[in-house]
């Protein structure tokens, strides 16, 4: 069974405990706040109240063979930089660190962090397309070039088969499955299935293709078509 450590019980760190505890009990948690440790100790194999800036303490607590360490020290930039450096010297396999801004993230990368998490940015990235499009429900970035999304079928394609709608050719999106109600489970398409007006499609594809398809139903208050709104959004993201 894989083993994980969470250093710092900020909002992201606490969420990771909740998620990991669903699949494993091999979790080590570390924080200087005794109240937080008391609250989460039952979800961890080992819980330590300690000053994470003490390198020797980190060496004693974190086994070198651990599968991954997650660092969330809130907005304390200097502390996360020092802890990342400690972990890199221990040759930890995978180091995941929460950053507060781009400059912080760049320093963490230079120190050897494998993944940088920007919680506020990721939340905004998921929510913004849903606010702009009335067809888009859930939006999950998987990587820089791939997202999964739930999109209600535009009415223009109701009654057509997937071959007739030809969404892959028109929008470069791949239809994986569908459901007819928000509370139902997804089903895979049969060859003769006709798309229905209220169906929700599970799509995979590039972020720009997904949100352009999902935004084809509306413009904005200045009269711009949805495609232009999303192209503008994508340019801003790439600039960052």
């Amino acid at each position: 069974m894989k083993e994980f450590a969470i250093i710092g019980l900020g909002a992201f760190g606490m969420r990771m405990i909740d998620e990991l505890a669903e699949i494993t009990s091999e979790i080590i948690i570390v924080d200087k706040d005794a109240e937080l440790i008391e609250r989460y100790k039952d979800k961890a194999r080992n819980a330590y109240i300690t000053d994470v800036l003490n390198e020797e303490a980190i060496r004693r607590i974190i086994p070198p063979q651990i599968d991954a360490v997650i660092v969330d020290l809130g907005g304390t930039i200097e502390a996360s930089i020092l802890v990342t450096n400690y972990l890199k010297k221990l040759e930890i396999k995978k180091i995941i660190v929460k950053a507060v801004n781009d400059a912080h993230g760049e320093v963490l990368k230079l120190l050897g962090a494998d993944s940088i998490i920007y919680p506020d940015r990721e939340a905004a990235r998921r929510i913004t397309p849903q606010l702009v499009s009335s067809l888009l429900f859930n939006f999950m970035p998987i990587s820089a070039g791939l997202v999964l999304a739930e999109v209600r079928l535009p009415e223009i394609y109701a009654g057509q088969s997937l071959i007739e709608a030809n969404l892959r050719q028109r929008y470069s999106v791949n239809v994986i499955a569908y459901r007819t109600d928000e509370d139902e489970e997804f089903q895979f398409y049969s060859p003769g299935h006709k798309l229905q007006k209220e169906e929700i499609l599970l799509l995979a594809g590039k972020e720009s293709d997904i949100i352009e398809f999902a935004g084809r139903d509306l413009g904005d208050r200045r009269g711009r078509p949805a495609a232009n709104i999303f192209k503008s959004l994508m340019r801003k993201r790439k600039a960052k």
Side-chain angles (χ1 to χ4, degrees):
M1 184 177 291
K2 288 190 174 183
E3 183 181 25
F4 305 97
I6 299 174
I7 299 178
L9 302 185
F12 175 64
M14 288 188 286
R15 181 60 184 269
M16 288 303 304
I17 294 171
D18 290 335
E19 294 292 330
L20 288 172
E22 295 291 326
I23 58 174
T24 182
S25 59
E26 296 298 308
I27 304 171
I28 298 169
I29 59 174
V30 185
D31 198 282
K32 65 179 181 181
D33 189 322
E35 185 177 335
L36 284 175
I37 291 294
E38 180 66 25
R39 186 190 310 173
Y40 284 96
K41 68 179 183 180
D42 291 339
K43 294 187 175 184
R45 186 194 70 201
N46 298 107
Y48 298 93
I49 304 168
T50 191
D51 180 2
V52 298
L53 298 184
N54 185 328
E55 183 175 2
E56 190 56 39
I58 295 297
R59 287 183 175 276
R60 290 197 306 269
I61 291 168
I62 307 298
Q65 74 276 9
I66 200 165
D67 292 284
V69 178
I70 298 153
V71 180
D72 177 11
L73 296 171
T76 313
I77 295 176
E78 295 83 357
S80 65
I81 288 172
L82 283 173
V83 170
T84 300
N85 187 43
Y86 299 160
L87 296 172
K88 192 62 180 178
K89 287 194 284 185
L90 284 173
E91 299 183 350
I92 300 300
K93 297 176 188 175
K94 190 172 184 65
I95 305 170
I96 302 166
V97 191
K98 189 191 86 170
V100 298
N101 54 43
D102 288 338
H104 185 199
E106 287 301 317
V107 173
L108 294 170
K109 286 180 185 177
L110 289 173
L111 288 172
D114 299 288
S115 298
I116 310 298
I117 305 298
Y118 302 91
D120 294 339
R121 181 184 300 175
E122 293 302 315
R125 186 181 176 193
R126 294 187 185 204
I127 291 170
T128 300
Q130 296 177 55
L131 295 176
V132 175
S133 172
S134 62
L135 297 181
L136 185 59
F137 290 88
N138 290 318
F139 186 83
M140 181 182 296
I142 303 299
S143 67
L146 177 67
V147 300
L148 291 177
E150 292 181 60
V151 182
R152 192 177 296 281
L153 179 74
E155 289 188 24
I156 189 173
Y157 298 115
Q160 298 183 27
S161 67
L162 279 179
I163 294 175
E164 292 168 335
N166 202 15
L167 301 182
R168 185 171 185 177
Q169 184 66 32
R170 288 173 174 166
Y171 295 98
S172 299
V173 297
N174 296 283
V175 182
I176 300 172
Y178 76 98
R179 55 188 172 129
T180 56
D181 186 88
E182 292 183 37
D183 297 324
E184 290 185 0
E185 295 293 326
F186 276 103
Q187 303 177 54
F188 292 105
Y189 284 97
S190 60
H193 180 84
K194 296 290 186 179
L195 299 167
Q196 303 300 312
K197 181 179 177 181
E198 294 300 314
E199 278 183 358
I200 298 171
L201 311 182
L202 179 62
L203 304 178
K206 292 182 180 178
E207 182 177 15
S208 56
D209 295 328
I210 294 281
I211 60 180
E212 184 169 348
F213 172 70
R216 69 184 310 282
D217 64 318
L218 77 167
D220 68 0
R221 62 186 178 186
R222 289 177 288 177
R224 292 186 300 169
N228 289 348
I229 300 172
F230 284 116
K231 286 176 182 176
S232 175
L233 176 63
M234 293 306 299
R235 282 198 298 270
K236 289 178 181 177
R237 287 183 177 173
K238 288 177 181 177
K240 293 178 181 179

